[in-house]
Amino acid sequence: MRFLLDDAQRDFARSLDAMLTAADTPAVVRAWAAGDPAPGRAVWARLAEAGVFALAVPERHDGLGPLPTELAVACTELGRHVVPGPVVETVAAAALLDRLGTLGDEATAANWLPGIASGKTAASLCLISGPGPGPGSGPSSGAGFGESPYALDADSADAVFVVDGDTVRLTEAAGPVQPSADPARRLSRPRGGTVLARGPQVPAAAAHAAEVAALATAAQALGLGRALLARTVAYARQRTQFGVPIGSFQAVKHRLADALIALEFAEPLVHAAALALAAHGESSGAEIAAAKVSACEAACSAARTALHLHGALGYTEELDLSLWIRKARALRGAWGTPAACRARVLAP
């Protein structure tokens, strides 16, 4: 099994990196957190033009996929640039609808998937009662692989899908935005809605969607951790103490090396999980759970190192670094808590 990216995948990553660097994503994140989604939707449209969302949609519905490895590559770059919005949830909703289509509900899939592929439909997904983890990162969201009452960015999404047992609903309203560890992750409780699908096929489709969401979250965390480490290394080269850069101190080198090693170990797990999903169309869950816990713990380690080595400067909200640090903590519990992921890996 090949864990290294090929030339086309690396070129795709570089093109997304260049595009997002030019988009000034920190300003986009701050606007999104303040309730102004316009700059974020402009970035969303450019991502759609690059084919990011089409990677989660099958060709029969105007997509390019599903291509889990390329999707992981894209989500890594989105995490590197802390792109806001329900990217993971849109991808997971596409997986849910696609699986419902293959299990017999083709009409619902055909109604929504082309819009997701084109970027016209930003979707959120909430698993209130189902087999998969939820998107919550707020104060009551420690549901792990159980239930979550929250939908991410329901106030700005074009469609919010809710899975409750064997029923899929399209919600008509969402409650007020709740506090979150990351202000750019706007959480609210979906209300009411129209039944789109009901039956024994729904839990199976929801389980698949949860796995895709966990993989995309792991890839985001991997990119986020890489960005935190790069910013901290650059700062350690610039900041001086006793007349020399702090990066020359042995203790600082060890902290940075530990963060790098954690990320280096997480990356092949993310790629292996994506390859397993691409090869079989589904996963035992253990590969994705291992990737999720490894990548998110590595991102949190990089965040702690960044905060420590930036000193008091690292605590300031005005510093762009805070956008990455806050997101690292939120992703850790989103779509699979560390405890739930470890339990999934150890399950017989």
Side-chain angles (χ1 to χ4, degrees):
M1 184 176 289
R2 180 181 174 86
F3 290 173
L4 296 177
L5 300 179
D6 60 31
D7 290 340
Q9 291 163 342
R10 286 193 290 269
D11 288 343
F12 180 47
R14 282 191 289 267
S15 68
L16 289 177
D17 181 38
M19 183 188 75
L20 294 171
T21 299
D24 187 18
T25 51
V28 174
V29 174
R30 295 184 191 280
W32 192 278
D36 177 13
R41 290 307 293 261
V43 172
W44 190 281
R46 297 184 65 185
L47 291 172
E49 290 176 1
V52 170
F53 304 109
L55 296 172
V57 177
E59 293 183 8
R60 70 181 186 277
H61 292 301
D62 302 334
L64 301 172
L67 297 172
T69 304
E70 285 72 14
L71 189 61
V73 170
C75 287
T76 299
E77 295 307 313
L78 269 58
R80 191 189 305 274
H81 292 275
V82 288
V83 173
V87 173
V88 168
E89 288 65 31
T90 296
V91 166
L96 172 75
L97 295 165
D98 179 27
R99 187 55 59 93
L100 286 176
T102 60
L103 294 175
D105 192 358
E106 190 66 19
T108 301
N111 190 40
W112 291 101
L113 287 175
I116 291 176
S118 67
K120 294 180 180 178
T121 301
S124 189
L125 177 64
C126 176
L127 304 185
I128 290 179
S129 176
S137 59
S140 304
S141 63
F145 277 89
E147 304 173 358
S148 172
Y150 294 108
L152 179 69
D153 296 320
D155 57 332
S156 57
D158 301 303
V160 180
F161 301 95
V162 176
V163 177
D164 191 353
D166 66 349
T167 303
V168 179
R169 291 183 285 113
L170 178 68
T171 65
E172 300 168 348
V177 175
Q178 303 294 317
S180 171
D182 176 9
R185 291 175 60 84
R186 299 171 62 82
L187 304 169
S188 56
R189 291 176 180 265
R191 298 174 177 174
T194 304
V195 174
L196 294 181
R198 177 178 285 139
Q201 76 279 10
V202 170
H208 174 62
E211 288 189 346
V212 172
L215 174 62
T217 302
Q220 271 196 329
L222 179 62
L224 187 86
R226 292 286 190 190
L228 280 164
L229 181 59
R231 285 171 171 261
T232 306
V233 168
Y235 182 73
R237 287 172 174 167
Q238 296 171 359
R239 181 185 170 189
T240 59
Q241 197 170 59
F242 308 115
V244 297
I246 64 169
S248 64
F249 300 155
Q250 196 72 9
V252 172
K253 289 180 180 179
H254 285 173
R255 290 294 300 268
L256 294 172
D258 288 343
L260 175 61
I261 290 171
L263 291 165
E264 289 290 316
F265 272 93
E267 185 169 5
L269 291 177
V270 173
H271 292 167
L275 285 170
L277 195 59
H280 307 295
E282 57 185 333
S283 164
S284 66
E287 301 101 330
I288 291 176
K292 172 64 169 59
V293 69
S294 298
C296 288
E297 294 293 75
C300 284
S301 176
R304 288 191 295 269
T305 298
L307 187 63
H308 183 197
L309 297 186
H310 277 79
L313 184 66
Y315 287 92
T316 60
E317 190 169 314
E318 293 77 14
L319 188 69
D320 287 346
L321 185 76
S322 66
L323 305 178
W324 278 262
I325 290 176
R326 286 185 169 189
K327 193 174 185 72
R329 180 63 184 84
L331 291 181
R332 185 173 184 263
W335 295 103
T337 64
C341 287
R342 291 188 177 98
R344 191 74 175 269
V345 171
L346 296 174

